[in-house]
Structure formats: structure tokens, C-alpha cells
Amino acid sequence: MEFKISREFLTNIEQLIKENKEHELHDLLHEIHYADIAEIMEELDHDEASYIFKILDSETTSEILLELDEEVRVKILRDLSPKEIAEELDELSTDDAADIIAELPQGRKEQVISELEDVEHAKDIVDLLRYDEDSAGGLMGKELVKVNENWNVLTCVKEMRIQAENVSRVHSIYVVDDENRLKGRLSLKDLLTTSTKTPISEVYIPKVDYVKVNTKDVEVARIMQKYDLEAIPVVDEMGRLVGRITIDDIIDVIKEEADKDYQLAAGISQDVEADDSIIQLTKARLPWLVLALFGGFIAVKISGQFGDAMEKFGVLFFFTPLIAAMAGNVGVQSSAIIVQGLANNTLSGTIWQRLYKEMKLSIFNGLILAFILLLGSHFLLGVDYIIGITVSISLITVIIIASLIGTFVPITLNKYGIDPALATGPFITTSNDIFGILIYFSIAKLILGF
């Protein structure tokens, strides 16, 4: 059952801290998962959170560090000495330890690394720090189980027992040659059912999915998702096995990428959260709002060019919000589908094939909507058929143009290495509003002759 934090529970925690009842507080938190303790600490002030952190053992607090919000974690680490931080990192896997060290100031990084007791652990962490955080090298951990193709099954089992002591979960057994180049993987079933004298080279599976150290994290996520992998080995430029990436790391990547795309689609240009400062939120939101404002100015300017229509056919202006809204909605729908296809690598065909298909779809949808609009405007609003036909033709045209823009823009952005999620937010909405109004009044002028 999921743990829920209540106001009463937090009040009890705060009271125990105030009365300095360490043992009672320790007993209360002992049965609670470290992720829930991290959530509790985020609800408390800094001094109270630090108090909880210091009464728990390193095995628990090291896991809590990983779950804490980055801002809270930075404050907690600031209160710890390099030696105390090193004690926390000694309990973590290399990839998690490297992530935490990467957040420290340069001078403090060196101090913490020098305090790590396990020399091999420290070397592995330093090695991971040289990779970009958004690459496979930056995601991978050094803990894995590997065997040499020249060993026999008996030697293999002995070596695996030694290696497994440092690995929390054994997803796969990797096979390497004398130069540590990845050769394949070993089935546990084959290992258990084969004679102890059989060479590993005779039983291992040569087919194994892998990524290189410089592979982008989103590409790693796509590969693991496609092939339903719980872990994937990482090789360097020479094909040598240097680490592995597990599914828990990939879940974080997928979540971060989804959050970023969602914010971009909403017109938020930076990674922010609801609890961030007003200044941070303003920096993230204001640029696209300014763009939308300028787009509105352009739309007003275009409308002003058709002032004659107001005198002769004032009813046309009542349909302007409808045309603009439909243009924005259709554009966002088209771009959202394309962005999703690009993200999942499921988009097939050339850009012209995509545009042709989108045009057929928009004509079909446009005809249905235009028919509804024609009937509704006449029978519900009492608009003349000539006006209804004008607005309906404009609607079909706007839907076609908006869908083509919504398809073309994200594909083009992706082609030039720009995140296509930009195309699903205010950019598409604003541009289609402008084009929609321009097309609407141009067609109205052509048909009605004002």
C-alpha cells in the first residue's frame, strides 16, 4: 500500500525533532521506504530535514539522497563534510555516485573523491564523470557480471560469485574476450545445464544488443523500449565492455524527456517546476507569451486591412474566433502526431508522403466540419447561405493549411537537430492564427467582393 503523508504525521515528526527524541524518531522512520522519507524531508524546513538525515544510517541516507529534489539535496550536501559525503557515496552504485558528485563544485568534487575508501570504486566514478550526462556513458554503471569466453563453466561460476557481491541485480551475464571486447551473453539456463568442463565459447549467445558510450540517452531509451530490455551493455570505441545501463536509469530519462516535451508544447522554454521562484517561472514562460502577443498584433493588423468588410458584412467578424481556434487546434493535432512519431521512431515515408496523407485527411475532416458549420450558421444563427458558404470554404482551406504547417514544421525542425516538440505549442498556434485570419478574409473578399 502506498504511503501517504498527512498533516498530522508531519506535525508528529516536527514535535519529535523539537523535543530531540532521536530514538523515537528513528523507530518511526525505520519501517518507511527511503523514497517516502525523502518526500517527508522535502515537506520540512532545512534544519528539520538535516536532523532526520543525520540520525539515519548511511545505507538509508545514501538512497534518500537520490530521491530528494535537487534543490533540497544541494542544501543537505552543503552541510556535510567531504568525508561524510564520501561515506554516503560508498554505499551507492557508481552511476548514482557519479550523478551526485557531478552536482558538487569542482573543488569539493576532488575532496570527496579523495575521501572514498574503495579505490576501485573511486576510479570507476572518475571514469564516469568524463562522459556527457545525456550519453550512454553518463548513464551507465560499472557494476556488472562478465565472463571470459576461454573459461570453462566451473571457472565461470566461481568468478560470477565473486563479481555478484558488488552487483545489486544480475540482469545478464556478458561474455568478453581477452581484450575485454564484448562477444555475447550467457544464458543462466545453459550455464546450469552444461558440464562444468565445457568452454564458455561453446555455449554463449553471440547475439547481444548494445550501445556505445557516446550514444544519446534518448536513443538508448528507444532501443531498450523497442526490445523490452531490462539492461543493456555499453561498449567503448574499440568494442570493449565498459558498463551497463539498467531500466531504472532509462525510466528517469523517459520521464525527463516527457516532462521537457510537455513543457515545450505548452510554451515553456526552460525546465521548471511549480515550486520554482517567480523569476525562474517568468524566464521560462514569458518568451513564448511575448511571441504570442506579437502574433496577436499581426492578426489585428491583418484584420484592419479588411475594414471595408465590417461596413458591408459585419457578421464575418463574429466568425473570426472560430476560424482562428480551428486553425490552432488542427495545427496542434497534426504536429502532436508527428512529434510523437518522431519520438518513437515510428514515422515512415518521405515528407511529401506525409504531407499528402495529411492533406487528404484534412480535406475529409474539413468537409464534415464545413457542412456542420453551414447548417448551424443558417438554422441556429440565421446567417445567409452566401455568408455560410463563404465561412465554410474558408474553414476547409484553413484546416488544410494548418494541418500542412503542423506536419511540415516539426519534421523540418527535427531534420536540423531542433527539438520538434517546439512545434506543438504557441509557435504553431500563433502562426496558424495569423494564416487562418489572412486566408479567411482573403477568401471572403474574393467571394463577397468588398
Side-chain angles (χ1 to χ4, degrees):
M1 184 176 178
E2 184 182 1
F3 178 80
K4 297 288 186 182
I5 300 176
S6 64
R7 183 65 255 174
E8 292 76 16
F9 182 83
L10 286 175
T11 302
N12 185 30
I13 292 285
E14 292 167 344
Q15 187 63 33
L16 291 174
I17 293 173
K18 185 177 180 180
E19 296 174 2
N20 201 30
K21 294 183 177 180
E22 289 188 17
H23 294 296
E24 291 184 30
L25 187 59
H26 187 278
D27 292 342
L28 179 63
L29 298 174
H30 180 67
E31 298 298 326
I32 300 176
H33 193 275
Y34 54 80
D36 294 320
I37 297 177
E39 191 175 340
I40 291 169
M41 290 173 61
E42 290 172 359
E43 294 292 327
L44 303 172
D45 65 37
H46 175 61
D47 291 336
E48 293 169 336
S50 295
Y51 185 94
I52 288 179
F53 193 85
K54 290 180 179 179
I55 68 170
L56 299 174
D57 58 84
S58 294
E59 187 176 347
T60 302
T61 52
S62 60
E63 297 290 352
I64 290 174
L65 277 176
L66 298 175
E67 301 294 332
L68 285 173
D69 179 78
E70 184 178 346
E71 187 176 340
V72 178
R73 181 167 59 243
V74 168
K75 291 180 180 178
I76 293 292
L77 292 175
R78 195 181 298 150
D79 292 342
L80 301 179
S81 68
K83 183 174 180 59
E84 288 173 325
I85 296 175
E87 289 173 355
E88 301 293 334
L89 301 186
D90 277 326
E91 300 289 340
L92 294 174
S93 59
T94 50
D95 55 332
D96 292 331
D99 289 342
I100 290 179
I101 288 183
E103 297 175 0
L104 300 174
Q106 185 58 41
R108 209 135 195 260
K109 287 180 186 177
E110 297 172 0
Q111 293 174 339
V112 171
I113 291 172
S114 66
E115 294 287 352
L116 291 169
E117 292 184 0
D118 189 331
V119 177
E120 288 300 318
H121 191 58
K123 285 173 60 179
D124 287 340
I125 292 172
V126 171
D127 184 49
L128 292 179
L129 288 172
R130 68 186 179 92
Y131 297 108
D132 292 336
E133 63 177 353
D134 61 351
S135 68
L139 278 177
M140 71 180 182
K142 290 287 189 176
E143 295 82 4
L144 51 80
V145 175
K146 64 180 179 181
V147 298
N148 191 293
E149 63 177 343
N150 297 317
W151 294 347
N152 60 29
V153 170
L154 181 60
T155 303
C156 176
V157 172
K158 290 180 180 178
E159 291 293 331
M160 285 170 55
R161 287 174 179 169
I162 297 172
Q163 295 178 36
E165 292 179 1
N166 298 318
V167 182
S168 57
R169 285 172 291 178
V170 180
H171 294 96
S172 300
I173 305 164
Y174 303 114
V175 180
V176 298
D177 62 13
D178 292 334
E179 302 299 324
N180 199 43
R181 289 189 292 261
L182 181 64
K183 304 294 291 185
R185 59 188 174 87
L186 188 60
S187 163
L188 185 59
K189 177 181 178 181
D190 291 340
L191 190 66
L192 295 173
T193 57
T194 304
S195 168
T196 56
K197 296 181 180 181
T198 304
I200 294 300
S201 58
E202 295 182 9
V203 294
Y204 81 82
I205 303 166
K207 179 175 175 54
V208 58
D209 297 301
Y210 65 88
V211 293
K212 294 185 177 180
V213 288
N214 56 0
T215 303
K216 289 295 184 183
D217 54 3
V218 290
E219 178 65 13
V220 177
R222 187 190 68 78
I223 293 171
M224 292 187 68
Q225 183 182 32
K226 180 178 181 180
Y227 297 110
D228 293 327
L229 303 176
E230 293 184 353
I232 191 168
V234 183
V235 301
D236 64 12
E237 295 81 358
M238 298 176 64
R240 295 175 299 190
L241 180 62
V242 292
R244 69 163 183 169
I245 298 171
T246 53
I247 189 65
D248 57 320
D249 299 313
I250 290 304
I251 289 174
D252 292 337
V253 171
I254 294 172
K255 180 179 181 300
E256 289 173 7
E257 191 66 17
D259 288 345
K260 184 181 74 171
D261 288 347
Y262 182 79
Q263 290 188 345
L264 283 174
I268 300 176
S269 56
Q270 299 178 21
D271 184 16
V272 291
E273 296 181 0
D275 293 333
D276 287 343
S277 69
I278 292 177
I279 297 298
Q280 289 174 308
L281 291 170
T282 298
K283 287 180 179 179
R285 296 164 65 171
L286 190 59
W288 285 107
L289 294 177
V290 171
L291 173 65
L293 181 62
F294 278 110
F297 282 142
I298 295 172
V300 171
K301 182 68 175 177
I302 291 173
S303 299
Q305 300 301 310
F306 297 93
D308 294 344
M310 177 65 78
E311 300 176 5
K312 296 182 179 180
F313 306 99
V315 69
L316 288 175
F317 282 87
F318 292 108
F319 287 95
T320 303
L322 183 150
I323 294 294
M326 290 301 296
N329 291 336
V330 170
V332 168
Q333 284 185 342
S334 299
S335 61
I337 292 172
I338 296 299
V339 169
Q340 184 183 46
L342 291 170
N344 298 331
N345 202 32
T346 57
L347 205 62
S348 60
T350 65
I351 185 172
W352 303 113
Q353 290 173 323
R354 299 304 313 178
L355 290 172
Y356 179 63
K357 181 177 181 179
E358 194 65 28
M359 186 171 68
K360 290 194 297 182
L361 176 64
S362 59
I363 290 173
F364 180 70
N365 289 337
L367 288 171
I368 295 174
L369 293 171
F371 180 71
I372 296 173
L373 173 63
L374 181 61
L375 294 180
S377 62
H378 181 72
F379 290 106
L380 297 180
L381 304 178
V383 176
D384 291 340
Y385 272 120
I386 186 64
I387 299 293
I389 291 172
T390 299
V391 177
S392 297
I393 293 174
S394 299
L395 181 65
I396 296 172
T397 308
V398 164
I399 288 175
I400 294 172
I401 299 299
S403 64
L404 293 178
I405 292 174
T407 301
F408 179 78
V409 171
I411 293 177
T412 304
L413 290 176
N414 185 68
K415 180 180 179 181
Y416 289 99
I418 303 172
D419 195 328
L422 282 169
T424 58
F427 178 80
I428 284 290
T429 304
T430 302
S431 60
N432 280 331
D433 283 351
I434 295 171
F435 282 115
I437 291 173
L438 178 61
I439 292 168
Y440 172 49
F441 282 113
S442 296
I443 291 175
K445 185 174 183 179
L446 186 65
I447 295 176
L448 300 176
F450 51 81

